[in-house]
Amino acid sequence: MPKIEVDKSAFYRYLGITADEEKLKEMFPTAKAELDGVDEEKNILKIELNDTNRPDLWSAPGLARQLRIHETGIIPEYPFFSAAEQKLDAEDRTVTVDPGLIHIRPFITAFAVTGKPLDDPGLKEIIQIQEKICWNFGQKRKSIAMGVYRSDLIQYPVRYTAADPDAVKFVPLDFKRELSLREINSIHPKGKDYGHIVADFPAFPFLTDSNGDVLSYPPVINSARIGAVEIGDEQLFIELTGTDIYSLTLATSIIACDLSDMGYTILPVKVEYPYDTPFGREVVTPYYFQEEMETELSYIRRQLGIDITAADAADLLRRMGIGAEANGEGVRIQPPVYRNDFLHPADIVEDIMISRGMDSFEPEMPKDFTLGRLTRETEFGRKVKDIMVGLGFQEMIYNYLGSKRDFLDRMGLTEEDGNGIIQVANPMTENFEFVRSSILPQLLYSESVSGNAVYPHKSFEAGKIAYPDENDNYGSVTKNYLGFLHSDNGADFNVVSGYVSAVMFYLSREYSLEELDDPRFIPGRGASVLYNGNIVGILGEVHPQVLENWGIQMPATVCELDLDALLTKEG
Amino acid sequence: MSIEVKNLHPLEIKVLLNVEEGEEIDYGLLAERLQFKVGQCNQAFSWLTAKSLIQDIRHIEKRSYELTELGKLYQREGTPEERILKFVVQKGAAAIPEISSSLELENKDTGSAFGSLSKEKVLAMNADKEVTALQDSPSPRMNTIRTLLDRAQAKDGTLEESELSEEEIAAISTISKKRGAGGTPFKLIEGEEIVYSFTKEGIQAKQDLQEAGITGEEVGTLTSEMLADGSWRGRQFRAYNVNSPANRTLLGRKNPYTEFLESVKDKLVSLGFEEFDGPLVETEFWNSDALFMPQFHSARDIHDVYQIKDPTHAKEIEQPYLDQVASAHENGWNTGSRGWQYDFDRDFTRRLILRSQGTVLSAKQLPKAAIPGKYFGIVRCFRYDQVDATHLSDFYQTEGIVLGEEVNLRTLLGLLKMFAEEVAGAEDVMYVPGYFPFTEPSVEVHIKHPELGWFELGGSGIFRPEVTEPLGIDVPVLAWGLGIDRMALMSLGLNDLRELFSPDIENIRLRRREA
C-alpha cells in the first residue's frame, strides 16, 4: 500500500479549508487514507493510502483535492484536457514517434508546464508523484516511466525513437562522460535498476529534440543537460512512456491535475504515431478517454440496503467529484479526469456509500437461518486431541515451513529414497524453504531446545502436512496428521506401542503392526501401523544417530498417524 | 522461633524424646540408643540444626578406613599373601613365575608378598630357587589383616580408627592410602565429627512433644497391607505440614493458542457458520485470479507469494470457471463490468504457490455453496515476509462468507457488529471505508477492545460481481476476514507473534490463557 510524506503547510494550502490533524483524521476515510504519523520537526505528515486503484490520491494535491471536494461540494475544472471529439491546440509542441517502437515501448504522452518558478516543496512533490505513480501504479517503471525536462532548452518537435543501444551515446544525469545506452545499463545506478526493462530488445527507446539534443533514455535515465531540472526553472516539459495506453494516459492526467492544483499552468502536447492506437494516430495529451457509466437505482438500493432517490444518489456522487445526474430510475456518471476505476456499477455504489458516510447506515443482523458446523476432519481431530491430552501429552503448534536440514538431513532421510518434500522456488531464507511432510522433525526440534524441561516429555501436534503426489492435479496433497513424542529414561517401544493401542482403542479402529526398516528408528524397534490394509502411520524408538543429529541426550519414541486415513470407516 | 512439633519428622522426634538436656549428641550415641545408621544421623542433625533445636558444641578429628574395590576382592578371595601361602602348602614348592601365572598375579606382587612372608619366616627360597612353606599357618600380621578385612566388610565397608587396637592401626596403615588408594585394600578418610547438644528451643520442643503425646511411632504412609490386616487400628497418624512446597505435576493439555483458535471456531459455529478447509498448495487461479485481482496489478504486490519449485504448474483449472474468470478479467464476461482489459495469462494462472490468503477458500466455496449460506475457515497462510515480532512466514487467517438474497451493506455492518461483540467482546464499533481488490464496497471494522483499546478487527465487503458470477453465484456475497492474532497474544500474555508457535516445551507447559 502506497505511503506518502507531505509538507504540512503545503497540504493545508492545497486543502484550501481550515483544518488540523484531528479534522484530517475525520476527513481521511473519504479517501481511504490513514494518518500514520506527524514529524513536527520536519513539518511532515505521513499518510498511508489503502486504495491501490486510486493513484490520483497518492500525492498531497490529489489527496487534498478529494477531501476538499467532499467538504465543499465544489468540483474543480481542468481546462487543458483534450478528448476524442475536442482536441486543443498544442501549437508547436509536438512529439513524433518512430515506427520501430511499436513492439518495444509503443506509447508516449506529454505536456508542458509554465506559470511560476519551481520551488523546493514543488520539486519534492513532483519527485514523490513520479515515484509513487511509476513504482506502484507503473509496475516499477515497466508499464509507466516519467521524465521531467527544461523545456526552454528543447527545440520541438521532440523525437521518440528506437535507437541502436551501442551506437547512441550521451552524458546521463550524475555523470560527466558519454555512455552508450548499453553501457548505461551496466554502469549507471539507474541502468542497473531499470535497464532490464528494455535490455532484451534490439533497439532501445530514446528521446531527443529536433536538433538531436538528448532528453533521455526512457525508462532509465535523463540526460545531464536538458534532463537536469533545478529549483527556479520556469519552463518544464514532462513526458511519460509505457506499454499500456490507458494506464499511461491516466497517469498523465493525474500528474497534470496535481501540477495544476499546485498553481502551474499546463500546456497540451500533440503526439503523432505512425501506427494505430486506441485513441487514433494523433493524440493531444492530457487526454480524457474515460467512458460514461450508468446504473439502475434498484441495484444501488439492493447493494446498500437503503431507500434512495436517483437525485440523492447523483448528489452524493458529485460530492465525490464525479459528474453524475439522475436519469429516470437510474444514475449516469462521468468519471473525473483523474480516475478510471469504474469497472462495474458496484464501483459507483461504493462512492455513494463513502459520500453518504458510514454512520448513516443502520447495521442490521442477517436474518437467514443457517446451520453451523465444523468439518468432519476438525471434529475427528478434536477427538484425537482429547485422547492425547488424556494420555498426558502436551499439545504443541508449529510453523509449517522449515529447512531441508531439519526436515530431512537431521532425520537421517534423503530425498532420493522417496522421501519427497515440497520445496519453495523463491524462499526468503533456507530456514523457510520446505513445507513439512511430517510432524516428527518439529517434535524432535522441540526436544533439542527443551533439555532443561522436567522429564518425562510427552508432546504432540495434530496439524497439516503436505507431500508431492504426481497423480494429483496440484502435484501434491495436504493431510491432517497426528504426531507425538515421548522422551524419558525408559521411553521404549513397549510404551509408545501402548499409546498407539490406547489411541486406536478409543477411536474404535482395529489395526496391526508390521516391522519397519526406517533410518529414523533403531533397527528392529520401528513399525508401520496398518489399518484397512493400508499403512496409516509409523512408530518406533528414535535412532541414537538421529538423536545425536539433533543434539538430544535423552531417549525418545515417536509415532505419526494419518488422521484422514483413520477417519475413513473400515470396509 | 516456635516450632509446630506435630510436623517434625519421626527421626527428629526420636532424637528429641530419647536424649536428655545437657547430653552430648553424636553418631555413637544415636547408633547405640536409637540404632540409627549414619545416613539417618546425618538427616536428623541437618534438620534439627536447621530448626535451631540442636547446636554444635565441639568438633572431633576422626579417621576411618574404607574398603576399596581391591579390598573387597581380598576379603572375598584372599590377599596375595594368603593365596601364595595356600598354593605352596597345597601344591608344594614352586618358582615365583609359576606361582604368578597360576594365581594370575604379577611377578612383582608375588615377589613383594614373598619378601614380607620370608621375613616373617613363613616362606623361604630353596636351592632350586623355588618357594617353600616353612609353616602351614599365616603370620600374626596376616591374621590381623584378615580380621580387619572381615570386620570392615561386616560394617558396610568402613572401620573407625577409634574402634581399632594399636596393633590393628599399625597393620592397616601399611595397607591404606589417603589418595590413589586403588592399589591398596583400604582408603584412609580424614574427617571430623561434630558433637551437638540441645538448644533452649530443643528442650522446649521436647517438652511440647511429651505434652502432645507424640512418640515418633505415628504412621506415615497408609499402606494397603495396613488396611488388609487392620493394623492401622489404634495407631496415630503423623500430621504433615500442609504448607510444604507442592510436587511438580506434569499433565496433558491442549496448547493455549489452539484453544483460543478453537474457541473462535466454536463461536462462529454458534453463529450459524459452516467450516471450510483446503490444501496448502494452491494455484494463482484460486489465490488471486478468481478474486478478480488483475495479473498485472500492484495489488498483487501485497500478496507476494511463495512459488512451488516442482511441479511449477497445476495440470488443469476447473471448467467452466477458468473460461468465465478469464473472460471476467479480459472484458467483464457477462457481469456488466468492462473487466481489466488485458490478455489473461492461462499459463500463469496454473502456477502453483503456497496459499497466501484465506479468501482463496471463500472463493473455492462459492461453486458449492448453499443459498442462503454462511461459511468460515481458520486456515494457515504463507507470506513472503521477513520473520519478526509482527510478521510470520506462515500464520492463521480467519475468513468467511455470507450468501443470500437479502444480503447488503447494512447486513454486512450488522455481521461486523456481531463479530465485534461476540468474538472480540468489543465495547464500541466504528466502520471505515476500506479497499480490497475483490470486494466493492469494502469496509474495515475498528473496535474498542476493553484492554487493547481501538484497533482494526477486520476487513470485509461485498464480493465484486466479477468474483461471484463467474463462479456461478448470482446473489450478493458478504466476504469478511478477522485479525484475531492481537487478541490471541493478549489472551496469552504475549507480544511477539513468533511465540504463538514456540517449540519450547517448558514455555508451553507454563503458558496460560486468561480464564
Side-chain angles (χ1 to χ4, degrees), chain A residues 32 52-53 136 139 302-303 340 344 347 350 362 370 373 378 382 385 395 425-426 446 454 464 470, chain B residues 253 258 262 266 272 275 277 296-298 307 315 335 338 409-410 434-435 442 464 476 503 509:
Chain A
K32 299 184 189 173
T52 52
N53 259 347
N136 296 60
Q139 297 176 292
R302 175 177 174 173
Q303 292 293 98
N340 189 30
H344 186 278
D347 299 298
E350 183 176 83
E362 181 64 29
T370 55
R373 65 162 80 87
T378 299
R382 286 188 176 186
K385 288 204 235 179
E395 183 187 15
N426 56 331
S446 266
V454 182
K464 292 190 192 304
E470 59 183 29
Chain B
R253 58 194 285 271
T258 62
E262 293 197 355
D266 289 341
E275 189 187 12
D277 202 351
F296 62 84
H297 201 277
S298 62
Q307 299 181 326
K315 290 170 190 164
T335 64
R338 63 176 157 88
L409 176 70
R410 287 178 51 209
Y435 174 78
S442 306
R464 297 187 67 97
R509 278 175 175 168

Side-chain angles (χ1 to χ4, degrees), chain B residues 308-320:
Chain B
I308 303 298
K309 189 163 188 185
D310 182 36
T312 55
H313 290 74
K315 290 170 190 164
E316 59 180 2
I317 303 293
E318 298 89 323
Q319 289 288 17

Side-chain angles (χ1 to χ4, degrees), chain A residues 386-517:
Chain A
D386 283 345
I387 296 171
M388 293 313 296
V389 168
L391 289 171
F393 283 75
Q394 167 71 54
E395 183 187 15
M396 303 297 289
I397 180 167
Y398 299 110
N399 283 115
Y400 286 179
L401 290 182
S403 64
K404 176 167 171 287
R405 184 193 58 200
D406 285 356
F407 287 175
L408 293 178
D409 300 350
R410 282 183 163 150
M411 299 303 291
L413 300 174
T414 60
E415 237 177 315
E416 294 69 41
D417 293 342
N419 300 293
I421 187 162
I422 298 170
Q423 187 174 1
V424 171
N426 56 331
M428 181 157 260
T429 75
E430 63 178 17
N431 291 329
F432 306 106
E433 193 178 353
F434 291 85
V435 182
R436 69 177 188 178
S437 57
S438 163
I439 297 171
L440 302 184
Q442 287 164 315
L443 291 169
L444 286 165
Y445 176 59
S446 266
E447 287 307 303
S448 73
V449 298
S450 302
N452 293 329
V454 182
Y455 285 89
H457 293 179
K458 293 162 78 175
S459 55
F460 81 100
E461 186 188 14
K464 292 190 192 304
I465 60 104
Y467 54 82
D469 178 353
E470 59 183 29
N471 295 320
D472 188 87
N473 184 30
Y474 285 5
S476 65
V477 289
T478 300
K479 297 273 188 190
N480 291 290
Y481 263 42
L482 165 71
F484 64 85
L485 172 144
H486 175 214
S487 175
D488 199 6
N489 276 316
D492 62 19
F493 186 88
N494 287 336
V495 179
V496 67
S497 186
Y499 292 137
V500 174
S501 167
V503 170
M504 296 302 236
F505 177 80
Y506 289 109
L507 292 175
S508 307
R509 298 293 189 262
E510 295 284 340
Y511 75 102
S512 59
L513 297 183
E514 199 172 73
E515 200 177 312
L516 169 71
D517 185 19

